[in-house]
Amino acid sequence: MAVLVTGGAGYIGSHAVAALLEQGEQVVIVDNLYQGHRNAILGGKLYEGDLRDADFLAKVFQENDIDGVIHFAANSLVGESMKDPGKYYHNNVYGTLCLLEQMQKAGVSRIVFSSTAATYGEPERVPIDEFDRTLPTNTYGETKLAMEKMIRWFDVAHGIKFVSLRYFNAAGAHESGKIGEDHSPETHLVPLVLQVALGQREHISVFGDDYDTEDGTCIRDYVHVSDLADAHILALGRLRKGEDSAIYNLGSGNGYSVKQVIDVSRKVTGHSIPAAIEPRRAGDPAVLIASSDRARKELGWTPRRDKLEDIVTSAWNWHRENPTGYAK
Ligand code: UDP
């Protein structure tokens, strides 16, 4: 029996593949490698292709004895999603439809879905729990919510059981140092700050210091990518036990401001990391912090690397050793 990981060459997907391999699972990966990196895949069997190619995907299900799917394959840049919503609906929503149709045909009835805190939009309260209102403020979050809902209707109609994992801010890198974060273009705070430390950028832009927070900058809940990977394994275990579909937030429960991230990064790297205050970025809520109580209670998930300093240190180990990311 094998686990199919879509988007397994991406940042979080590759860490999930590594965690599955560490558990002795057989892993099949589907990735079109538009954003993913061949070198991020530490093992398993790669099929290079697109979920929207029905013949290709049918072949993957025919050639492998797949008992569950972990679905990461998607576009995930908020800014890009606002400029090109069609791309997000096509790849994310239609891609998921194609996957569910093939699962249904092949009789595969378990899926762990890579969702996001962006499904909530501007929170009504913090910490956010899974019953709070979902009202995305960008196309990326809207498509992820649409994907979640689609999976739920396939559950109702066809018994495809799911666990949807709504991540807060993923950061850090694998402890082996072999895999880490390499997006192009990079838009995320932690890797950008570390690129300044490496001398690849002159300064880090701080998007707004006039928020209603202690130091005026946005507060986020940073969660280590390997803790996220572990949650996928627990979620798959839950589905294998025959338990019901569920949605879980995944965050460390700790909020750190943009300024705190920069300060911790200065300490970890020993570099001065110049910062410049710039206008707010559209669609950024002031504070996003997860309540992950449900995941802790029902999945038995405990984020083991929940100190910001440890998360930044692991990211720094990767960036220092791989200053230009994966070999192309
Ligand atoms: N941010 C920033 N400068 C940057 C990139 C991000 O000030 O160059 C801020 C952003 O406004 C947000 C936080 O850092 O408050 C985390 O942003 P990121 O893009 O990493 O993740 P998001 O919260 O959008 O998922």
Side-chain angles (χ1 to χ4, degrees):
M1 295 298 250
V3 180
L4 170 63
V5 181
T6 75
Y11 173 42
I12 305 173
S14 61
H15 285 77
V17 168
L20 287 163
L21 294 169
E22 284 156 23
Q23 298 282 315
E25 298 272 1
Q26 271 196 352
V27 184
V28 173
I29 297 139
V30 166
D31 201 300
N32 59 17
L33 298 180
Y34 291 178
Q35 302 155 100
H37 307 275
R38 194 181 295 277
N39 295 337
I41 299 171
L42 297 183
K45 185 162 143 197
L46 170 67
Y47 285 81
E48 184 178 343
D50 198 293
L51 297 181
R52 295 165 290 183
D53 178 345
D55 293 342
F56 161 77
L57 196 57
K59 187 164 164 268
V60 175
F61 279 96
Q62 275 153 20
E63 289 183 356
N64 298 281
D65 189 10
I66 291 164
D67 87 316
V69 176
I70 306 185
H71 179 34
F72 294 98
N75 291 106
S76 62
L77 300 178
V78 170
E80 182 190 56
S81 79
M82 298 300 282
K83 292 197 185 103
D84 191 358
K87 177 175 178 178
Y88 279 67
Y89 276 90
H90 206 273
N91 189 32
N92 295 4
V93 179
Y94 176 58
T96 299
L97 175 60
C98 295
L99 174 64
L100 290 168
E101 284 174 343
Q102 292 296 340
M103 286 176 66
Q104 189 196 334
K105 270 192 202 146
V108 177
S109 60
R110 300 182 187 111
I111 181 166
V112 179
F113 176 57
S114 160
S115 189
T116 168
T119 54
Y120 294 107
E122 186 72 46
E124 291 174 293
R125 56 176 184 162
V126 282
I128 301 170
D129 80 33
E130 293 84 351
F131 296 102
D132 288 351
R133 182 190 65 186
T134 48
L135 198 60
T137 51
N138 55 63
T139 314
Y140 164 63
E142 191 72 75
T143 59
K144 283 279 177 172
L145 187 58
M147 293 150 88
E148 267 190 10
K149 288 183 178 175
M150 192 195 304
I151 296 170
R152 194 172 73 78
W153 292 115
F154 271 72
D155 180 2
V156 171
H158 306 299
I160 293 186
K161 297 290 163 202
F162 67 91
V163 172
S164 183
L165 300 174
R166 292 179 176 163
Y167 323 143
F168 282 62
N169 289 63
H174 196 262
E175 61 188 3
S176 67
K178 289 183 185 154
I179 53 175
E181 189 167 9
D182 177 6
H183 292 115
S184 181
E186 189 53 76
T187 63
H188 294 110
L189 181 64
V190 172
L192 287 174
V193 166
L194 297 178
Q195 287 177 1
V196 180
L198 285 168
Q200 295 173 350
R201 291 175 190 267
E202 282 184 6
H203 68 269
I204 182 73
S205 304
V206 175
F207 296 147
D209 70 347
D210 56 352
Y211 285 95
D212 186 16
T213 59
E214 205 163 305
D215 66 19
T217 65
C218 288
I219 292 177
R220 293 288 179 274
D221 182 336
Y222 295 88
V223 53
H224 196 283
V225 65
S226 294
D227 285 326
L228 292 182
D230 291 346
H232 293 75
I233 308 237
L234 293 167
L236 188 63
R238 178 187 160 92
L239 294 174
R240 280 175 173 161
K241 276 190 274 172
E243 288 179 42
D244 212 355
S245 298
I247 297 176
Y248 298 113
N249 287 341
L250 297 179
S252 65
N254 305 317
Y256 294 98
S257 72
V258 174
K259 280 189 176 164
Q260 283 175 310
V261 171
I262 298 169
D263 280 342
V264 165
S265 302
R266 286 177 177 139
K267 191 170 152 212
V268 166
T269 65
H271 290 275
S272 59
I273 310 183
I277 308 298
E278 291 185 16
R280 290 180 178 200
R281 188 171 70 175
D284 263 342
V287 182
L288 285 178
I289 299 175
S291 162
S292 304
D293 292 352
R294 260 189 121 199
R296 288 169 196 258
K297 208 158 48 196
E298 294 182 19
L299 285 182
W301 181 66
T302 317
R304 286 182 291 143
R305 312 138 182 107
D306 63 346
K307 288 195 193 60
L308 182 62
E309 193 166 334
D310 296 342
I311 295 174
V312 171
T313 300
S314 82
W316 178 234
N317 289 340
W318 157 259
H319 285 281
R320 210 176 26 186
E321 292 301 317
N322 304 274
T324 56
Y326 290 103
K328 299 292 179 294

